[in-house]
C-alpha cells in the first residue's frame, strides 16, 4: 500500500533545541501539507506545497518554523528554537487533488 | 472563512447499535467537499467517507453513511452495527477550491463503543 511516511514518530527535546521532522509523500503526489494537532486548536494547516513550491505558509510562525521540499520525495518541517508550546502532533499529508488527501501517522513532539 | 462545528465532544454507543455524529459547516461557496475522518489511538487519520456538494445522493461506505442537508449546512455521520474497532476520534472536514487548498477540520467527537 502506498503511504505517507513520517519520521520520527516521537520526539522529546529540550526547549531551545532545533527539531526537524521529515515526510516522504506518496510517489506521484504533487501536493504536500503540514498540519499540527493540539487539544486546544484541533487540526491546523501550517503550510503546503505544490510541485515543491510553497503556496501557503500563513499558518506557520515565521520566526521559528520553516518548511521545505528539497526534492519530490522529501518534505521537512523545522523548528528552531523549539518552545514548550510547540508540543503537538505534526502530520504530513499528500495528495494529487485535495479531496483525496492521505495522512502520515504523525510525529508526536514534546518540548520540555 | 469556512468553519466546521462538531457539537458533541464525546459520545458512546453499545456494540451493534447505531450512532449518529453531528457536523455543521459555514461557507458561501456552492461547490465543495465534505469528509469524515477517523483517528484511532494509533493517530493515523483515516478517510471514512466523502461527499461532493453537487451530489444530492447521500454517500455510503458499508456501515457508514451520511445525511447531507445542503440548505441546512449539515453533514452527519451514521455508523450502523457499531463495532469495538470504531472507537476513535471522528473529525468532520470541509474543502473548497474557492479558497486555500486545505482541509478545514472540526474539533472532533470522541466515540467509544462499549461491549
Amino acid at each position: 500500500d502506498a503511504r505517507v511516511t513520517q519520521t520520527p514518530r516521537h520526539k522529546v527535546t529540550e526547549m531551545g533545541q532545533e527539531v526537524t521532522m521529515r515526510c516522504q509523500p506518496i510517489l506521484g503526489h504533487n501536493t504536500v501539507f503540514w498540519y499540527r494537532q493540539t487539544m486546544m486548536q484541533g487540526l491546523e494547516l501550517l503550510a503546503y506545497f505544490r510541485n515543491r513550491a510553497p503556496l501557503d505558509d500563513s499558518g506557520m510562525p515565521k520566526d521559528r518554523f520553516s518548511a521545505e521540499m528539497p526534492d519530490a520525495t522529501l518534505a521537512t518541517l523545522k523548528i528552531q528554537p523549539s518552545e514548550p508550546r510547540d508540543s503537538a502532533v505534526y502530520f504530513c499529508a499528500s495528495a494529487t487533488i485535495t479531496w483525496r488527501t492521505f495522512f502520515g501517522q504523525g510525529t508526536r513532539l514534546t518540548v520540555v | 472563512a469556512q468553519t466546521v462545528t462538531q457539537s458533541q465532544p464525546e459520545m458512546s454507543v453499545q456494540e451493534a447499535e447505531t450512532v449518529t455524529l453531528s457536523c455543521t459547516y459555514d461557507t458561501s461557496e456552492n461547490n465543495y467537499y465534505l469528509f469524515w475522518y477517523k483517528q484511532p489511538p494509533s493517530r493515523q487519520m483515516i478517510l471514512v467517507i466523502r461527499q461532493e456538494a453537487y451530489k444530492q445522493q447521500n454517500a455510503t461506505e458499508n456501515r457508514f453513511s451520511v445525511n447531507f442537508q445542503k440548505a441546512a449546512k449539515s453533514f452527519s455521520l451514521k455508523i450502523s452495527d457499531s463495532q469495538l474497532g470504531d472507537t476513535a476520534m471522528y473529525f468532520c472536514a470541509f474543502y473548497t477550491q474557492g479558497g486555500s487548498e486545505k482541509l478545514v477540520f472540526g474539533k472532533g467527537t470522541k466515540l467509544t463503543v462499549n461491549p
Side-chain angles (χ1 to χ4, degrees), chain A residues 4 25-32 72 94-96 100 102:
Chain A
V4 178
I26 293 173
L27 187 65
H29 283 193
N30 66 344
T31 306
V32 175
S94 73
T96 49
R100 284 186 61 80
F102 294 84

Side-chain angles (χ1 to χ4, degrees), chain A residues 27 90 111:
Chain A
L27 187 65
Y90 291 81
V111 183

Side-chain angles (χ1 to χ4, degrees), chain B residues 88-101:
Chain B
M89 285 288 292
Y90 286 82
F91 293 94
C92 181
F94 172 97
Y95 161 71
T96 178
Q97 287 180 307
S100 175
E101 290 278 323

Side-chain angles (χ1 to χ4, degrees), chain B residues 16-84:
Chain B
E17 293 188 346
T18 295
V19 64
T20 299
L21 309 183
S22 300
C23 173
T24 58
Y25 59 95
D26 188 24
T27 183
S28 57
E29 300 289 333
N30 195 45
N31 295 317
Y32 50 88
Y33 296 83
L34 294 160
F35 310 84
W36 279 97
Y37 278 87
K38 169 185 177 181
Q39 187 179 40
S42 67
R43 290 203 312 259
Q44 180 74 54
M45 292 288 287
I46 302 165
L47 178 64
V48 174
I49 199 165
R50 181 182 68 238
Q51 175 81 41
E52 291 88 336
Y54 64 86
K55 290 187 177 179
Q56 291 186 333
Q57 187 172 8
N58 288 323
T60 63
E61 286 288 341
N62 301 313
R63 298 182 295 108
F64 298 88
S65 62
V66 298
N67 182 6
F68 174 46
Q69 301 290 328
K70 191 172 183 179
K73 295 180 182 175
S74 170
F75 183 62
S76 61
L77 175 70
K78 185 171 81 171
I79 306 174
S80 304
D81 185 26
S82 297
Q83 301 176 358
L84 297 179

